[in-house]
Amino acid sequence: MKQYFSELFTGGMSLVEGLGVTMKALFMPIVTVQYPREEIDISPSFRGHIDLILDPEKNSYRCITCGMCEKNCPSNCITVKGEKLEGQKKKSLVLFDLDFTKCSLCGTCVEICPVNALEYSKEYNLAAFSREAFHYDILKRLEERIK
Amino acid sequence: METISTLPPELIRMVISAIIVITFLFLNAIMMGYAERKIAGHVQRRPGPMEVGSHGILQMIIDGIKLVAKELIIPFNVDRTLFRVAPLLSFTPVILPFLVIPFSEKLQARDLNMGLIFIVTMGSVNVMACLVGGWGSNNKYSMFGAMRAVAQAISYEVPILLSILAVILMCNTFSLKGIVGAQQKIWFVFLQPVAFLIYVVAGLAETNRAPFDLPEAESELTAGFHTEYSGMGFSLFFLGEYTNMFIVASVATVLFLGGWHGPHLPYGEYLGVVWFLLKVYFLLFLMIMVRWTYPRVRFDQLLNFSWKYLVPFSLANLLITAVVVKL
Amino acid sequence: MLESEYQEQNRFFLNMGPQHPSTHGVLLIVLEMNGEYVLDPQPVLGFIHRMHEKMGESRPCPGFMPNTGRMDYVCALPYNHGYVSLIERKAGIEVPERAEYIRVITSELNRIASHLLWLGAYLLDLGAFTPILYGFDDREHILDILESVTGSRLTYSYYRFGGVCQDIDEKFVERTRAFIKRLRKRYGIYEKLVTKNIIFIKRTENIGIVSPDMALRYGMTGPNLRGSGISYDIRKNEPYSVYPEFDFEVPVGRQGDCLDRYMVRVREIEQCLRIIEQALDRLPEGPIRSKVPKNIKLSPGDCNFAVEAARGELSYYLIGDGTSTPYRLKVRVPSYSNLSCLPELGRGILLPDLVSILGSFDLVIPEIDR
Ligand code: SF4
Ligand code: SF4
């Protein structure tokens, strides 16, 4: 009998306490960010898809088309092609493709590059209607930035 | 003009009140839906609907339009008649109690001298909708929901009636107007706190609101008895639920919180409705808060709770009331 | 009619899942039921099988790193940890001390995040909507902190053979300390809203009792095993990394019901905080990555490494054949063993209890299916 009442009492009290917590929360400021209208700064080490670094001295990429990133990518999503253009000693980049649908953002390519030619972009607003839209032409992106 | 004057005035009165009631009912559901989502949002420290209209105020209207525009999918192998009847069954009986609810001294469609019994009866028809819908859906989850709804309703009608009876003993009338009138001096909540608590708890269960939302327990039964419903079928259940909540809250107001009584207002016999609605929406607010705070009980615990706590307490309360009234 | 005959006639099957709100992912449980009583629940796995082990066997060992974080996406860092430690043990790679400290700090943060998410999801199973958002609120702080070093928020691949890929800075330490303070302040909320709540207690106490014997028989590990009263934690019993240097307790339950499993996890959060605090205090200076040969050769022979993930013992087993690609890679995931006791445990209980038990195991289905 005693237990019967004590259970009712403690149980009831616990329910009231719980209600107290939510009541208090009701009048506290909200913590979410209204995304499309407000944005928070992303952290500097955020990993978006990869991008070629724009070397300010050369005003161009640093890549030497060695193909290390292509070879070491666990998801096989990079395609690099270099050609020796006329009148140049070194190979220059003609194609740098990233198949972002497969990329696992592991960072191997960025770390393995011998001349530090790659970086992570800060893009996170990525949405499209087709897979092909995620096949990025990284070289073209760089050229656009140069302009 | 002539045709109108030849019609019996009583009929005109009924038609007008029916129109008002149905309008109010939709309005109430929209408001409640919006309030529920906003309160849920702020309880969880997020803003709730924000997109449609300022602070999402038009969200529910848009949702309503969406629901109406949707196809009512009737799954293969369901019992077609029952499947279609169920939403109507959940919606119709909840309109009728509005006829007898005294919003203020003069705002009442009809003052039946059996008003309270009428409301309680209509309230229990509601469970038929769950049963019919769940049975007709030909889905095991729906079936579970239906069975739970029935078990729950049967065991919760008892404490509701017993707690109401305690009030009836005190004021000797079933007419809602009479009951409110008897609370001129003091609200019954102060004389009958136990009955009030029991009524509110049992009312929560009666309306299938969390923590007693077993018939539609979404983490167990996906959506319970309305799993298979879409479009308007679903929204009628939804309307039914909110209206039912409103009725339970207004009965609680009438029985315990002194109905339209409150500080004096000009045109008190009409404007009493302000106090009435304030009290009702306060109760509804509590119901919403409860939903967003507690986990769901298990259904055998629910029945245990009813028979082990609510029924004995309400019986004891009734007994004491009877003795005190007699003295 | 005989009772048994009656039971026989009223049996029916119910498919719970693969799309059911409380199976947390694509798990199908075929329930043989009688009314609302579950007679025989049989989990059916394999809906989200992605051949992770095979992938590990078909590429040089660094290439498997990103996969580890995707097996258990809720608690990815211990998975990273297990794999890098495995290769380090196999190839005899030294790890600088600072790197080990960083690994411990981030792993423990991740463990807390996982427990918080579980807490919310469990309460959602029991029908309470709000705790999950409070859990998310706290978890978001952890994810922010982890994002600032790992660069991602969920499927980390942060550890590297011989260290970690990015150093932590003052800001990280500061934020972590602030977070520890914040979380300790929030205990009260969880306690009032959940732990003490009578409905919650009624839904979990004495439900799904896993006896110590049963837990051992099915090879359960992690909080589920500790809930049954057996104090077994890889961090203590088979210490790896720098865990022996820290002072922390292994919370155990009394009888192995859902409430015990809940309490163990909640108390574990506090222990994680203690570990993080100590690690932050003693954080040594130094390099974060040792020199690792470009082409790691996995010598012939096998090797095993176990770590304590948020859900229990995670162990990697590898057979090398002299190349840099593993000949065989086997991952022993905790959730698989934890789930396997369900058919025995779930006999003759009510459907809502089954949901409660299932939730209390803290299953991550992609981890089971791999
Ligand atoms: S981040 Fe990893 S998966 Fe993505 S392109 Fe680079 S190496 Fe490949
Ligand atoms: S590793 Fe670096 S230099 Fe070599 S191809 Fe890739 S981006 Fe260019």
Side-chain angles (χ1 to χ4, degrees):
Chain A
M1 201 62 189
K2 201 173 151 218
Q3 202 205 339
Y4 176 87
F5 282 106
S6 73
E7 201 172 53
L8 188 67
F9 183 73
T10 52
M13 277 319 282
S14 76
L15 295 183
V16 173
E17 266 185 356
L19 208 56
V21 171
T22 41
M23 281 287 188
K24 223 161 108 195
L26 184 61
F27 297 104
M28 286 208 276
I30 55 173
V31 291
T32 53
V33 176
Q34 296 304 298
Y35 162 58
R37 267 168 256 111
E38 297 172 58
E39 280 180 22
I40 25 178
D41 304 331
I42 47 171
S43 93
S45 48
F46 176 79
R47 290 188 197 167
H49 66 75
I50 51 168
D51 246 347
L52 284 163
I53 293 180
L54 179 65
D55 193 334
E57 280 166 33
K58 286 201 278 183
N59 197 22
S60 176
Y61 49 79
R62 293 195 200 128
C63 174
I64 49 171
T65 70
C66 67
M68 282 299 277
C69 51
E70 185 178 359
K71 227 172 35 209
N72 279 287
C73 170
S75 320
N76 293 331
C77 45
I78 302 179
T79 321
V80 186
K81 263 207 201 103
E83 256 173 35
K84 224 177 205 161
L85 295 183
E86 260 173 63
Q88 279 179 337
K89 267 187 243 147
K90 277 193 253 157
K91 275 186 178 177
S92 51
L93 207 51
V94 292
L95 178 80
F96 198 112
D97 257 354
L98 170 71
D99 179 357
F100 194 50
T101 53
K102 288 198 277 177
C103 173
S104 51
L105 297 172
C106 62
T108 312
C109 48
V110 175
E111 277 169 37
I112 205 112
C113 179
V115 290
N116 242 337
L118 294 174
E119 65 176 349
Y120 303 107
S121 71
K122 298 279 173 273
E123 292 205 13
Y124 58 96
N125 285 320
L126 299 172
F129 289 105
S130 70
R131 275 168 189 247
E132 284 65 41
F134 292 105
H135 291 224
Y136 296 123
D137 191 339
I138 304 279
L139 190 58
K140 210 159 104 206
R141 281 175 57 96
L142 184 83
E143 273 159 12
E144 264 161 31
R145 261 190 296 161
I146 294 174
K147 276 181 216 149
Chain B
M1 220 45 217
E2 259 162 45
T3 37
I4 286 183
S5 58
T6 53
L7 287 172
E10 192 62 4
L11 184 65
I12 297 174
R13 207 176 120 115
M14 288 308 278
V15 169
I16 291 176
S17 31
I19 291 170
I20 292 177
V21 161
I22 292 183
T23 322
F24 178 74
L25 195 144
F26 276 89
L27 212 66
N28 172 57
I30 286 175
M31 256 161 56
M32 287 293 294
Y34 181 68
E36 171 121 46
R37 288 164 76 170
K38 269 292 181 196
I39 292 174
H42 282 278
V43 160
Q44 298 166 349
R45 321 239 357 231
R46 58 190 176 82
M50 277 304 250
E51 293 303 317
V52 193
S54 158
H55 283 255
I57 205 141
L58 300 176
Q59 183 69 47
M60 289 308 288
I61 296 170
I62 298 286
D63 282 357
I65 293 172
K66 181 199 79 181
L67 282 171
V68 172
K70 267 195 170 174
E71 184 189 1
L72 177 59
I73 298 167
I74 300 187
F76 188 61
N77 259 350
V78 299
D79 187 323
R80 280 166 170 271
T81 332
L82 292 188
F83 190 79
R84 291 196 179 179
V85 162
L88 295 176
L89 211 52
S90 101
F91 181 61
T92 335
V94 295
I95 306 179
L96 295 176
F98 277 95
L99 285 180
V100 293
I101 291 175
F103 287 93
S104 75
E105 209 169 337
K106 294 245 169 96
L107 284 180
Q108 189 183 19
R110 210 81 178 76
D111 184 26
L112 298 183
N113 55 359
M114 280 301 198
L116 196 53
I117 297 199
F118 179 71
I119 289 189
V120 170
T121 325
M122 283 303 141
S124 38
V125 173
N126 193 34
V127 69
M128 282 292 290
C130 301
L131 178 61
V132 168
W135 180 277
S137 292
N138 188 27
N139 177 322
K140 286 164 192 163
Y141 287 117
S142 307
M143 189 67 191
F144 278 146
M147 290 303 151
R148 285 178 177 192
V150 174
Q152 188 172 328
I154 289 175
S155 57
Y156 275 82
E157 286 294 315
V158 181
I160 282 195
L161 287 175
L162 289 176
S163 60
I164 288 179
L165 221 52
V167 175
I168 302 298
L169 279 184
M170 294 190 60
C171 55
N172 268 328
T173 171
F174 279 114
S175 143
L176 295 181
K177 212 173 199 166
I179 294 172
V180 178
Q183 298 179 62
Q184 189 87 48
K185 284 210 198 76
I186 183 161
W187 297 356
F188 283 155
V189 64
F190 300 115
L191 302 178
Q192 293 280 0
V194 180
F196 176 67
L197 272 181
I198 291 171
Y199 182 81
V200 169
V201 172
L204 272 179
E206 172 88 3
T207 48
N208 298 338
R209 287 287 293 183
F212 307 120
D213 57 344
L214 298 166
E216 46 197 290
E218 65 285 299
S219 60
E220 292 152 25
L221 306 180
T222 57
F225 65 91
H226 58 62
T227 307
E228 298 285 358
Y229 283 91
S230 58
M232 215 42 212
F234 167 76
S235 40
L236 282 183
F237 277 121
F238 176 79
L239 267 179
E241 176 181 327
Y242 279 129
T243 317
N244 213 354
M245 273 169 72
F246 183 87
I247 288 164
V248 166
S250 44
V251 171
T253 311
V254 166
L255 290 183
F256 299 102
L257 298 183
W260 64 77
H261 290 309
H264 184 72
L265 286 176
Y267 305 109
E269 58 270 37
Y270 291 105
L271 279 185
V273 67
V274 174
W275 296 125
F276 183 84
L277 287 183
L278 267 181
K279 289 169 193 172
V280 169
Y281 280 109
F282 172 72
L283 282 181
L284 290 177
F285 168 73
L286 274 188
M287 279 171 147
I288 293 176
M289 286 303 288
V290 163
R291 168 163 185 201
W292 295 100
T293 307
Y294 303 136
R296 182 183 306 113
V297 298
R298 208 173 61 204
F299 82 95
D300 59 325
Q301 288 166 353
L302 173 84
L303 302 190
N304 273 344
F305 181 65
S306 167
W307 295 112
K308 261 165 79 178
Y309 288 97
L310 294 186
V311 172
F313 270 90
S314 47
L315 274 175
N317 184 47
L318 188 61
L319 195 73
I320 295 169
T321 315
V323 171
V324 172
V325 167
K326 189 81 198 147
L327 293 177
Chain C
M1 216 190 309
L2 280 170
E3 179 80 357
S4 58
E5 242 175 85
Y6 174 78
Q7 289 233 333
E8 211 49 51
Q9 278 184 5
N10 283 286
R11 276 177 179 230
F12 63 93
F13 285 96
L14 183 68
N15 282 327
M16 191 165 143
Q19 278 126 15
H20 187 281
S22 61
T23 51
H24 296 289
V26 278
L27 169 70
L28 166 64
I29 302 176
V30 179
L31 303 171
E32 209 176 336
M33 314 218 13
N34 179 2
E36 277 222 23
Y37 283 92
V38 178
L39 301 179
D40 188 20
Q42 289 295 344
V44 180
L45 303 174
F47 286 95
I48 191 166
H49 178 55
R50 288 152 298 164
M51 318 187 294
H52 275 312
E53 287 168 4
K54 188 68 200 165
M55 280 194 229
E57 289 161 18
S58 57
R59 56 181 60 160
C61 57
F64 189 59
M65 253 326 279
N67 290 51
T68 57
R70 278 157 179 84
M71 276 189 276
D72 177 353
Y73 48 79
V74 185
C75 182
L77 282 173
Y79 275 68
N80 280 189
H81 200 166
Y83 186 65
V84 291
S85 304
L86 172 83
I87 302 292
E88 280 155 10
R89 180 180 276 180
K90 183 79 184 153
I93 299 169
E94 284 292 317
V95 187
E97 206 179 7
R98 184 176 172 89
E100 285 287 15
Y101 269 79
I102 296 174
R103 282 181 187 178
V104 166
I105 293 169
T106 46
S107 282
E108 293 304 317
L109 277 175
N110 205 191
R111 190 188 313 276
I112 297 174
S114 163
H115 283 346
L116 283 174
L117 179 67
W118 167 81
L119 188 146
Y122 185 37
L123 265 291
L124 201 60
D125 283 351
L126 296 179
F129 301 91
T130 302
I132 189 166
L133 282 128
Y134 293 171
F136 263 91
D137 187 4
D138 288 331
R139 179 170 172 266
E140 207 61 22
H141 287 253
I142 301 183
L143 295 193
D144 281 346
I145 293 172
L146 287 180
E147 187 193 2
S148 71
V149 288
T150 64
S152 32
R153 294 177 75 83
L154 202 63
T155 48
Y156 313 104
S157 37
Y158 173 50
Y159 303 158
R160 294 285 185 271
F161 304 141
V164 293
C165 74
Q166 198 182 336
D167 200 359
I168 60 177
D169 52 10
E170 265 315 303
K171 190 122 179 284
F172 175 90
V173 176
E174 225 169 81
R175 286 174 83 178
T176 314
R177 283 194 201 280
F179 170 74
I180 293 174
K181 249 207 202 130
R182 174 198 154 91
L183 192 60
R184 290 217 165 111
K185 265 200 217 130
R186 303 260 300 179
Y187 285 162
I189 291 181
Y190 293 111
E191 184 166 315
K192 278 189 200 149
L193 192 62
V194 183
T195 315
K196 275 202 201 151
N197 189 301
I198 180 85
I199 302 177
F200 171 74
I201 293 174
K202 288 271 176 206
R203 283 299 301 275
T204 50
E205 203 172 21
N206 293 329
I207 290 181
I209 297 180
V210 180
S211 65
D213 167 60
M214 187 171 160
L216 290 178
R217 245 185 313 128
Y218 283 103
M220 291 169 80
T221 44
N224 297 331
L225 177 70
R226 296 196 280 277
S228 299
I230 299 173
S231 166
Y232 179 76
D233 187 322
I234 311 276
R235 290 174 294 173
K236 271 264 195 265
N237 296 56
E238 216 179 295
Y240 57 97
S241 192
V242 283
Y243 279 110
E245 292 174 24
F246 302 123
D247 167 38
F248 66 101
E249 283 155 28
V250 179
V252 291
R254 286 167 299 122
Q255 53 169 354
D257 55 6
C258 293
L259 185 62
D260 276 348
R261 289 191 278 276
Y262 168 84
M263 287 312 291
V264 165
R265 288 200 178 88
V266 170
R267 283 159 62 198
E268 227 171 77
I269 292 179
E270 168 60 27
Q271 299 307 323
C272 294
L273 289 185
R274 276 180 64 193
I275 296 177
I276 297 170
E277 258 182 345
Q278 293 171 40
L280 287 179
D281 286 343
R282 292 188 221 153
L283 191 65
E285 293 296 323
I288 53 156
R289 216 168 156 176
S290 60
K291 265 253 147 301
V292 177
K294 262 240 155 80
N295 212 349
I296 298 168
K297 289 264 180 295
L298 304 169
S299 55
D302 60 352
C303 177
N304 188 59
F305 199 93
V307 294
E308 180 78 20
R311 271 148 273 279
E313 174 177 353
L314 162 77
S315 91
Y316 286 95
Y317 176 72
L318 178 140
I319 303 180
D321 58 356
T323 64
S324 69
T325 309
Y327 170 72
R328 174 83 178 98
L329 181 69
K330 158 84 185 142
V331 191
R332 184 249 186 240
V333 290
S335 288
Y336 184 79
S337 317
N338 292 347
L339 175 67
S340 59
C341 73
L342 190 71
E344 186 178 326
L345 201 58
R347 217 160 277 157
I349 58 169
L350 284 163
L351 182 64
D353 285 348
L354 186 85
V355 170
S356 173
I357 291 174
L358 211 56
S360 75
F361 281 157
D362 189 11
L363 302 170
V364 169
I365 311 303
E367 173 198 57
I368 299 180
D369 287 344
R370 300 199 285 302

